[in-house]
Amino acid sequence: MENLLGYSLERMTDCFVARGQSKFRAKQVFGWIYGKGVLDFDKMTDVSLSFREELKRDFCLSLPSIIAKQVASDGTVKLLLRLEDGAKVEEVMMPYDYGCPICVSSEVGCSMGCAFCASGLLKKERGLTSAEMVGQLLVMNQVLSEYGLRVTHINVMGTGEPFDNYDNVMEFIRIANCQAGLAIGARHITVSTCGLPEGIRRYGKEGLQTNLALSLHAPNDKIRNKIMPVSLKYPMKELIAAIKDYLSTSGRRVTFEYILLSGVNDTLECADELARLIRDNDLFAYVNLIPYNEVKEMKWKRSSKSSVSAFHNALLKKGINATVRKEFGGDIDAACGQLRVKYEKQQ
Ligand code: SAH
């Protein structure tokens, strides 16, 4: 049976109108689901009884179930969820002082093969449906409601490559952003890509005020090729061209994510080269330096605190807007894919 979660207001309206209903009907049902959190058609009392029966016959409103829940001492919440077909995905919420951002997965496994990432240990099985991404949001809201909190920001930064599952990710964003429902502000929504130029350009043309983060992780092709196979297909030159197009169509600045891996990409020369790349190409990018979350199965080591701060200072000195990402969930498996990898091994 089709899951009605995952329908944006626009799609729900088209669907209901095709069933002979007024446009207003969709707004009512959408409001029940996302505004009031009601997932039972019987409780949508201002919808006619006959249409409620029709909805019950043709649609379900089903959420992923929680397989495992870890809550770290700092309040980070990590969930391992089971989807309808048995596939498992992770999501995490980090308790910042400004709110509760979640990191949503966009695919089951990932085929981008970044050498340092635990998600790549589990090959891509399929993209998630918009319903499954909305499900992650609603389940996290249920967990957070126990603490009087709710999700305030969305980062499509969990397992998977969002631009490899473009349409479903965008449908999910439209649902989360819709004023008639959860109303999560566009500026509170970020999509993170490993660097697929076509997706970057398309995203820039959506006319949304959402954010783009790019997992750069290296200042040149030589280093990037070693750690991100996607770079062999789309070298820096193509990536920069796509970002420039994105800047001019969206008018939005980009964030570069940069994991610091000891002895790989963390020298001061790398910092200089990164600063030049940004300045010489007029990219106006923010740089988010990410302390690497070590993965047991992998050889990569995180950079020392002093290397991180030297790298950070070198960027600042060159006039680059850079921050070091705050770390959360040190006592749980908070890195992308870690919890699922551990769970699969135990089985
Ligand atoms: N495919 C997308 C989104 C998923 S990864 C992308 O590549 O951006 C989200 C971010 O987490 C990426 O920047 C990724 O490189 C980073 N990441 C992956 N494994 C990590 C780890 N062990 N420690 C720190 N960051 C990691």
Side-chain angles (χ1 to χ4, degrees):
M1 198 185 279
E2 174 125 28
N3 199 347
L4 195 61
L5 291 183
Y7 275 61
S8 60
L9 182 57
E10 295 77 9
R11 192 161 142 228
M12 202 181 282
T13 304
D14 291 346
C15 169
F16 288 5
V17 166
R19 287 166 176 261
Q21 296 293 318
S22 69
K23 280 189 175 173
F24 181 65
R25 198 58 84 217
K27 206 156 187 190
Q28 280 177 313
V29 172
F30 194 90
W32 278 108
I33 299 172
Y34 298 106
K36 303 196 183 87
V38 170
L39 297 183
D40 179 350
F41 291 123
D42 283 327
K43 294 196 175 133
M44 301 181 183
T45 46
D46 55 3
V47 177
S48 72
L49 205 58
S50 63
F51 191 55
R52 272 188 262 159
E53 289 304 321
E54 186 178 331
L55 288 173
K56 270 160 60 182
R57 188 191 67 210
D58 296 342
F59 295 99
C60 61
L61 288 166
S62 77
L63 291 177
S65 56
I66 298 177
I67 301 173
K69 174 170 125 184
Q70 295 182 331
V71 181
S73 51
D74 63 13
T76 300
V77 178
K78 180 125 194 182
L79 303 178
L80 181 65
L81 303 175
R82 178 180 282 111
L83 307 176
E84 232 158 337
D85 65 349
K88 297 175 217 61
V89 291
E90 292 179 38
E91 68 166 322
V92 63
M93 185 287 295
M94 290 137 299
Y96 277 88
D97 41 15
Y98 62 71
C100 297
I102 53 168
C103 197
V104 169
S105 290
S106 57
E107 297 181 321
V108 181
C110 183
S111 56
M112 296 298 129
C114 297
F116 48 80
C117 178
S119 294
L121 293 171
L122 300 162
K123 282 282 155 265
K124 176 178 167 181
E125 291 167 33
R126 63 179 178 84
L128 296 186
T129 63
S130 51
E132 289 166 336
M133 287 179 263
V134 169
Q136 293 174 59
L137 174 50
L138 297 181
V139 169
M140 188 61 87
N141 264 341
Q142 285 180 353
V143 170
L144 293 184
S145 69
E146 292 168 31
Y147 307 92
L149 300 170
R150 65 184 201 92
V151 173
T152 58
H153 295 64
I154 296 173
N155 297 315
V156 187
M157 264 184 207
T159 296
E161 168 49 45
F163 290 163
D164 192 26
N165 186 20
Y166 191 94
D167 293 328
N168 290 344
V169 168
M170 291 316 296
E171 184 79 344
F172 162 58
I173 289 175
R174 280 189 289 272
I175 295 166
N177 179 234
C178 185
Q179 279 304 317
L182 296 157
I184 295 183
R187 284 163 193 268
H188 290 186
I189 299 174
T190 301
V191 175
S192 175
T193 180
C194 65
L196 305 182
E198 194 196 334
I200 293 171
R201 289 198 172 90
R202 214 172 143 194
Y203 185 64
K205 291 184 200 139
E206 293 285 347
L208 295 168
Q209 295 296 305
T210 51
N211 308 302
L212 177 66
L214 180 94
S215 298
L216 195 66
H217 305 329
N220 58 46
D221 284 326
K222 194 165 167 234
I223 300 177
R224 204 162 190 264
N225 287 345
K226 274 193 211 152
I227 52 179
M228 299 181 74
V230 68
S231 163
L232 297 165
K233 194 161 178 202
Y234 304 112
M236 204 62 99
K237 207 168 144 213
E238 279 186 47
L239 204 49
I240 301 296
I243 294 164
K244 284 188 165 176
D245 287 345
Y246 174 83
L247 291 176
S248 65
T249 51
S250 73
R252 309 274 304 151
R253 289 175 75 173
V254 178
T255 298
F256 286 161
E257 294 162 274
Y258 196 105
I259 294 179
L260 288 160
L261 297 165
S262 179
V264 177
N265 62 357
D266 63 344
T267 60
L268 290 179
E269 290 75 50
C270 285
D272 275 354
E273 205 177 342
L274 177 61
R276 260 183 280 127
L277 180 79
I278 293 171
R279 279 200 324 207
D280 295 354
N281 291 291
D282 295 324
L283 299 180
F284 307 107
Y286 301 104
V287 176
N288 197 203
L289 298 172
I290 308 176
Y292 181 57
N293 223 325
E294 288 180 10
V295 179
K296 241 198 351 254
E297 292 79 3
M298 297 178 164
K299 61 178 181 182
W300 313 94
K301 295 283 165 230
R302 57 162 51 205
S303 302
S304 65
K305 276 214 169 81
S306 60
S307 308
V308 172
S309 94
F311 198 99
H312 184 203
N313 285 327
L315 291 179
L316 294 178
K317 243 193 247 157
K318 302 263 171 190
I320 303 295
N321 203 320
T323 48
V324 179
R325 183 178 292 173
K326 194 173 161 196
E327 291 189 79
F328 286 98
D331 51 352
I332 60 171
D333 303 297
C336 280
Q338 264 183 350
L339 178 58
R340 191 178 150 216
V341 168
K342 185 161 126 186
Y343 180 85
E344 302 283 5
K345 277 198 178 153
Q346 284 166 356
Q347 296 303 299

